[in-house]
Amino acid sequence: MAVIDIQGIGKWYPGRRRTVALEGVDLRLAEGAILGLLGPNGAGKTTLIKILSGLLVPDTGRGTVLGYDLMRQARHIRAAVSLVAPTADVGIDNNLTVRQNLVFWAPVYGLFGEIARRRIDELLARLGLEGKADAWPMHISAGQRQRLALARSLLAENALVFLDEPTNKLDAEGIRSVRQLITDLNARHGVTVVLTTHVMEEAEELCSEIMFLAQGRVRRHLPTDEVLRSLGLVRPIRLALDSREAADFTPPDPRTLRGAERVAWGPGDIRGRVLLTVWSRDTVATTPELIEWVLHQGYRLAGMETERVTLEDVFATLSGAEGVH
Ligand SMILES: Nc1ncnc2c1ncn2[C@@H]1O[C@H](COP(=O)(O)OP(=O)(O)OP(=O)(O)O)[C@@H](O)[C@H]1O
Ligand SMILES: [Mg+2]
């Protein structure tokens, strides 16, 4: 069963000028996935997360989350999923210390006594909050409040977790520990994760699949490695080869290398050395085949550099005019 299965979801916000936040969004997400929801400011990411976590009812479409109906069982959805919103202060009581906040919420999530205490200690440690356990929420930094909000929502140990910009406001150490926590939740406990981020490198590192939204519509939804190939962006692989005589050099036929488009070559600074550039729309596939060709030809590889397509490139293309159909 798909954890999330929605079709044709639309949402607009009323106002003098009606804002269409989402239009015709379909999404099927299997258990154990980490979905990266990406897109420029105002694309509709937070709106979609609110709908999927039962906080907002869509205006059009239908579907289920964890088997519950999006339109009629939002209350059940809210109880069964965890959500960390960018306004991380929601749910933090300023009259309770950091630890007391978690102690207060534990029974709400069915955690009692020793089990609750251990879980709270573990989350405080994993999020680097041990030193602030007895501090008041007003006296900790914005990033520490974000960590507390994360700890609170992870107390629940739900099978589906929504993280809206979870590493926003965090320092380098905080970012590392939150990324590790997400990976562990997924790998060890099989938790399905939907996250948004504006850090493309983070999405590439964490997510098994990527959904790009722009102006409320889905532009792409593919496994992460496929999304990188999906635009057919061409990048160079540059090789320095020691050949006995540069003048005799015969470059590879690009048609024999998977993903290769064209080749260019010329003599290097050092006598007998050839600089070969292979332009590829799938550097991951081309590189090993190219190395095999080099070895087969009996050349010595003196250097190699690959420029790969990153999510940053895909994002730039899909967020710009080209991505809008
Ligand atoms: N409560 C609201 N009332 C009116 N319009 C809203 C409301 N919330 C969002 N919008 C509008 O809906 C659209 C989608 O907003 P949303 O917050 O879902 O975008 P987002 O992708 O999360 O952006 P960001 O990257 O900035 O967080 C935007 O045009 C936004 O201005
Ligand atoms: Mg948002």
Side-chain angles (χ1 to χ4, degrees):
M1 188 194 74
V3 173
I4 296 174
D5 191 358
I6 58 165
Q7 296 97 38
I9 293 299
K11 179 75 199 173
W12 48 82
Y13 292 106
R16 205 175 305 159
R17 277 192 66 226
R18 197 180 73 159
T19 307
V20 178
L22 291 173
E23 212 179 336
V25 173
D26 299 340
L27 171 62
R28 260 181 82 85
L29 194 67
E31 193 180 342
I34 303 185
L35 173 71
L37 204 53
L38 307 180
N41 293 138
K45 305 178 296 294
T46 297
T47 303
L48 183 57
I49 280 188
K50 282 183 180 166
I51 288 173
L52 292 172
S53 52
L55 289 180
L56 208 59
V57 178
D59 294 309
T60 63
R62 62 201 166 84
T64 59
V65 172
L66 294 169
Y68 296 115
D69 187 274
L70 215 50
M71 299 292 188
R72 294 190 313 267
Q73 296 178 298
R75 193 166 52 87
H76 295 286
I77 296 174
R78 283 200 295 278
V81 307
S82 296
L83 167 69
V84 182
T87 44
D89 292 358
V90 180
I92 296 177
D93 188 332
N94 289 320
N95 298 308
L96 299 175
T97 65
V98 166
R99 182 192 295 279
Q100 285 166 349
N101 261 281
L102 298 176
V103 169
F104 171 81
W105 281 98
V108 178
Y109 297 128
L111 298 171
F112 299 94
E114 183 59 21
I115 292 174
R117 206 180 58 77
R118 266 207 312 254
R119 176 97 182 129
I120 290 168
D121 284 344
E122 186 205 333
L123 283 168
L124 286 172
R126 298 216 48 177
L127 290 163
L129 283 174
E130 311 103 311
K132 295 290 174 187
D134 299 319
W136 301 106
M138 294 309 272
H139 295 165
I140 61 177
S141 74
Q144 288 162 344
R145 290 172 75 90
Q146 168 82 356
R147 296 178 198 212
L148 174 56
L150 205 56
R152 181 184 88 78
S153 69
L154 293 178
L155 271 173
E157 299 190 281
N158 284 324
L160 178 57
V161 176
F162 294 97
L163 303 170
D164 198 347
E165 302 187 33
T167 55
N168 191 15
K169 289 192 264 185
L170 297 187
D171 60 19
E173 179 52 37
I175 289 172
R176 240 193 323 277
S177 49
V178 168
R179 287 184 190 173
Q180 189 60 51
L181 193 60
I182 294 170
T183 309
D184 285 355
L185 279 174
N186 178 258
R188 291 205 208 144
H189 306 287
V191 170
T192 307
V193 180
V194 176
L195 68 89
T196 73
T197 177
H198 287 294
V199 183
M200 294 302 115
E201 169 223 344
E202 176 164 289
E204 208 171 321
E205 178 189 324
L206 293 176
C207 300
S208 56
E209 49 193 281
I210 300 288
M211 185 156 119
F212 271 101
L213 282 177
Q215 298 174 353
R217 292 184 153 272
V218 178
R219 303 293 174 200
R220 283 282 188 295
H221 178 200
L222 289 169
T224 306
D225 52 342
E226 282 178 40
V227 87
L228 293 171
R229 289 196 296 267
S230 70
L231 296 171
L233 296 174
V234 171
R235 289 291 180 273
I237 305 169
R238 294 194 177 88
L239 306 175
L241 301 173
D242 283 331
S243 152
R244 245 154 302 155
E245 261 317 316
D248 295 340
F249 180 77
T250 317
D253 180 345
R255 285 169 302 186
T256 63
L257 299 171
R258 204 144 52 94
E261 295 258 302
R262 60 197 153 88
V263 303
W265 67 281
D269 300 340
I270 300 170
R271 199 180 130 68
R273 186 165 284 186
V274 174
L275 299 178
L276 171 68
T277 305
V278 176
W279 294 84
S280 168
R281 68 195 124 71
D282 187 357
T283 51
V284 176
T286 310
T287 304
E289 294 191 8
L290 187 57
I291 290 175
E292 199 137 320
W293 175 86
V294 169
L295 297 175
H296 189 254
Q297 297 295 311
Y299 298 133
R300 204 180 67 80
L301 193 58
M304 179 161 171
E305 233 177 53
T306 310
E307 248 177 60
R308 44 178 218 99
V309 175
T310 64
L311 270 184
E312 206 87 49
D313 302 323
V314 180
F315 186 88
T317 309
L318 293 180
S319 310
E322 291 166 67
V324 180
H325 312 295

